[in-house]
Amino acid sequence: MPFKLNQNTNWRLNFYLIFGGQFISNLTTMIVQYAFMWYITDVLKSATALSLSTLMMFIPWIFLAPVAGVVIDRWSKKVIMIGMDLLAALVAIVISLTISQFAGGALLTLLLVAIFTRAVTQVFQQPTLNTIVPAIVPKDELTKANGQIQSLQSLTAVIAPGISAVLFGLIPIQWIILLDVIGAIFGSLTVLFAYVPVTDSSQEEQVSFFKNIHLGIRELMKHRGIFQYSILSLIAIMFIMPGASLYPLMTTQHFGGTITQAGIVETIWSVGSLLGGIFISIWGAGKNRFYAIFGSLVIMGATFSIFGLLPAGLGGFWIFAGLNIFAGFGLAFMNSPFMAIVQEQIQPEMMGRVMSVLMALTNIGAPVGLMFAGPLADQFGIAQLFLLAGVATLLVAAAAVLLPAVRQIDKE
C-alpha cells in the first residue's frame, strides 16, 4: 500500500494520524455509550440498573487486563487495534437488530451484555494505544503528547453528550448504535496506514502467560511511587466512580431536571477536562508533576463534597452543573501527568504488561464501589454518595502527601 507511513515519517504526522482516527472512533463509541445511559435512565429509571451498566464496563479490566498486556507485548499492535474495532462493529450491528425485541429485565440483560462486550474491546485497545505513544513520540515530548491525547478525549466527551441527547430525542436508539460501525471502520483504516514499531518479543515467546503477568507485576512494584499511587487511585476511584455513574439520575431525580439537562452536565464536565488537557499540552504539568496530581485529587474531592450538600431543585442543579468544570479540569491533571511518568520509567519491552496490570489495578475500585452504589442510592439518596466520595478523595490526597515514594514519584 503506497499510502502507508514508515519509520522515516515525521513522528507528529504519524501521531496525529493514529489519534485523529481514534478521535472519530471514540466519538461514535461515546455517543452510543451515552445513548445507553439515556435509555436506561428514561426507560428503567433505576439507580441499580445504571450502576450495573457502569459495573459491566469495569469487570473486564479486572480479569482480562493482565492477559491483554501479555498479548499486546507479543502480537502485532495493528492487528489488536483493528481486530477490536471490528469486534465492536459486530456487536453494534447485533444489538441494533435485536434491541427493539426486548423489554424490562430482558432489555437490561441485553444492554449489560452489549456494554460488557464493548468493554472487552477497550481492555485490549486502550493499553495498546498507551504502548504505542512512547514508541512513536520522543521522550521529552511525552507529557505534552499525553496532554494532547487528553484534550482529544475531552473534546470527544464535550461533543458526545449533546449529540447523543439530541439524537436520542429524534431517532430510534437502534440507528444511534450503528454509528459505532462507522467509527470502527474509520479507526481501523487510520491504524492500518500508520507506522507502528514492532517490539522484539522473541525472548518472551517461551515464557508462559502467567509468568509474563508475574513479570509485569514485579516490574510495576520496582517503581514504588507508581505502585503506591496506583493503590491510592484505586481507593479514590472506588468512591468517585459510583457518583459519576449516577450523574443522569442526580440530575433527573435529585434536582428534578431532564435528559437534556443531564447532557449539559456531562458536557460541562468534559469542557473542564478539555481545558485541562489543553493546558497540559501547551504548558505541561510543571517540573514536579506530583503537585499536579495532588492538586487534581484536592479539586475533585472538594467539588464532589459540595455536590453532596447542594439542595434539591433547579437552583442547586445550576451550581452542580457549573462546578463540574472544575471537576473535569482536575481529572485531566490526575490522568495525563501520571501516564507520562509511567511511560518514561517503564522499559518498552515491558510496557504492555505493566500498563495492563496498572489499569487492572486502578480499575478494581470501580466495581467494588458500584456493587453498593445503586442499592444505597435507591435507599438513602444519590446526594449522600457524592458527599462520601468527596471526603474519601480528600483523604486520599492527604495520604499521597504522607507517602514519601508518592511525593517523589516524578524523581525516581
Side-chain angles (χ1 to χ4, degrees):
M1 294 185 182
F3 298 107
K4 275 190 176 182
L5 303 185
N6 55 51
Q7 65 268 30
N8 297 319
T9 303
N10 180 279
W11 73 265
R12 294 184 187 277
L13 176 61
N14 198 34
F15 174 78
Y16 292 132
L17 175 64
I18 293 174
F19 286 93
Q22 291 307 304
F23 169 72
I24 300 298
S25 179
N26 290 336
L27 175 61
T28 57
T29 295
M30 289 193 69
I31 290 173
V32 174
Q33 195 69 44
Y34 276 113
F36 285 149
M37 289 173 56
W38 308 146
Y39 199 70
I40 293 172
T41 302
D42 187 51
V43 176
L44 300 177
K45 297 180 174 65
S46 167
T48 299
L50 205 55
S51 294
L52 283 173
S53 67
T54 308
L55 179 64
M56 290 300 105
M57 295 170 57
F58 286 94
I59 287 179
W61 286 100
I62 299 175
F63 297 103
L64 292 180
V67 175
V70 179
V71 172
I72 292 166
D73 285 332
R74 287 184 170 183
W75 292 4
S76 165
K77 293 176 175 59
K78 281 193 175 187
V79 170
I80 295 171
M81 294 294 298
I82 295 173
M84 292 300 105
D85 265 334
L86 296 180
L87 176 59
L90 177 62
V91 171
I93 293 172
V94 172
I95 299 301
S96 176
L97 293 175
T98 58
I99 191 171
S100 61
Q101 302 173 24
F102 294 88
L107 173 62
L108 177 59
T109 301
L110 177 69
L111 293 175
L112 294 180
V113 170
I115 293 169
F116 177 85
T117 307
R118 287 157 56 89
V120 169
T121 66
Q122 289 297 304
V123 168
F124 286 88
Q125 278 193 321
Q126 194 59 52
T128 303
L129 279 173
N130 288 334
T131 62
I132 290 174
V133 175
I136 65 176
V137 176
K139 188 174 182 178
D140 59 352
E141 296 283 347
L142 276 176
T143 298
K144 291 184 178 181
N146 278 284
Q148 291 172 12
I149 295 169
Q150 179 71 50
S151 298
L152 281 177
Q153 292 173 341
S154 300
L155 180 60
T156 302
V158 168
I159 300 171
I163 296 176
S164 183
V166 170
L167 292 177
F168 188 78
L170 294 177
I171 61 178
I173 190 171
Q174 51 263 42
W175 292 107
I176 302 176
I177 295 172
L178 289 178
L179 289 174
D180 229 0
V181 179
I182 298 173
I185 293 173
F186 199 92
S188 297
L189 288 176
T190 52
V191 170
L192 179 64
F193 293 140
Y195 169 68
V196 178
V198 178
T199 302
D200 182 10
S201 60
S202 58
Q203 296 184 359
E204 276 76 28
E205 291 297 333
Q206 305 301 320
V207 182
S208 70
F209 266 35
F210 290 107
K211 179 64 175 178
N212 274 286
I213 293 171
H214 171 72
L215 290 173
I217 295 173
R218 189 175 67 179
E219 179 68 20
L220 178 62
M221 293 183 69
K222 289 179 182 178
H223 303 268
R224 294 184 61 191
I226 294 174
F227 177 72
Q228 290 180 7
Y229 177 74
S230 300
I231 301 298
L232 293 179
S233 178
L234 181 156
I235 297 170
I237 290 172
M238 183 171 65
F239 289 96
I240 290 174
M241 188 51 64
S245 72
L246 299 177
Y247 262 44
L249 285 179
M250 183 71 167
T251 299
T252 59
Q253 290 188 3
H254 183 73
F255 295 117
T258 64
I259 293 293
T260 299
Q261 288 172 325
I264 290 173
V265 172
E266 300 283 352
T267 298
I268 292 175
W269 165 288
S270 303
V271 167
S273 186
L274 173 61
L275 293 176
I278 291 173
F279 185 97
I280 295 171
S281 66
I282 297 175
W283 292 288
K287 293 182 179 179
N288 188 341
R289 288 168 288 189
F290 166 75
Y291 296 115
I293 296 171
F294 170 74
S296 72
L297 290 170
V298 172
I299 290 172
M300 295 191 70
T303 51
F304 269 64
S305 297
I306 295 172
F307 294 162
L309 298 173
L310 290 175
L314 289 180
F317 165 77
W318 289 114
I319 298 174
F320 171 65
L323 287 177
N324 264 288
I325 198 166
F326 297 102
F329 191 88
L331 179 66
F333 278 82
M334 186 177 177
N335 290 337
S336 297
F338 177 65
M339 189 58 61
I341 291 171
V342 174
Q343 291 168 342
E344 290 173 8
Q345 296 184 15
I346 303 298
Q347 295 299 315
E349 62 271 14
M350 296 295 295
M351 187 68 71
R353 279 160 287 192
V354 170
M355 198 65 70
S356 293
V357 171
L358 182 63
M359 288 189 170
L361 186 62
T362 55
N363 280 291
I364 288 173
V368 174
L370 288 166
M371 284 190 292
F372 299 99
L376 287 174
D378 287 332
Q379 183 70 28
F380 300 107
I382 299 172
Q384 283 69 25
L385 287 181
F386 279 94
L387 180 59
L388 176 62
V391 173
T393 305
L394 290 174
L395 292 175
V396 168
V401 174
L402 295 175
L403 290 171
V406 177
R407 287 202 311 271
Q408 302 296 319
I409 192 173
D410 200 15
K411 298 180 180 179
E412 287 190 356

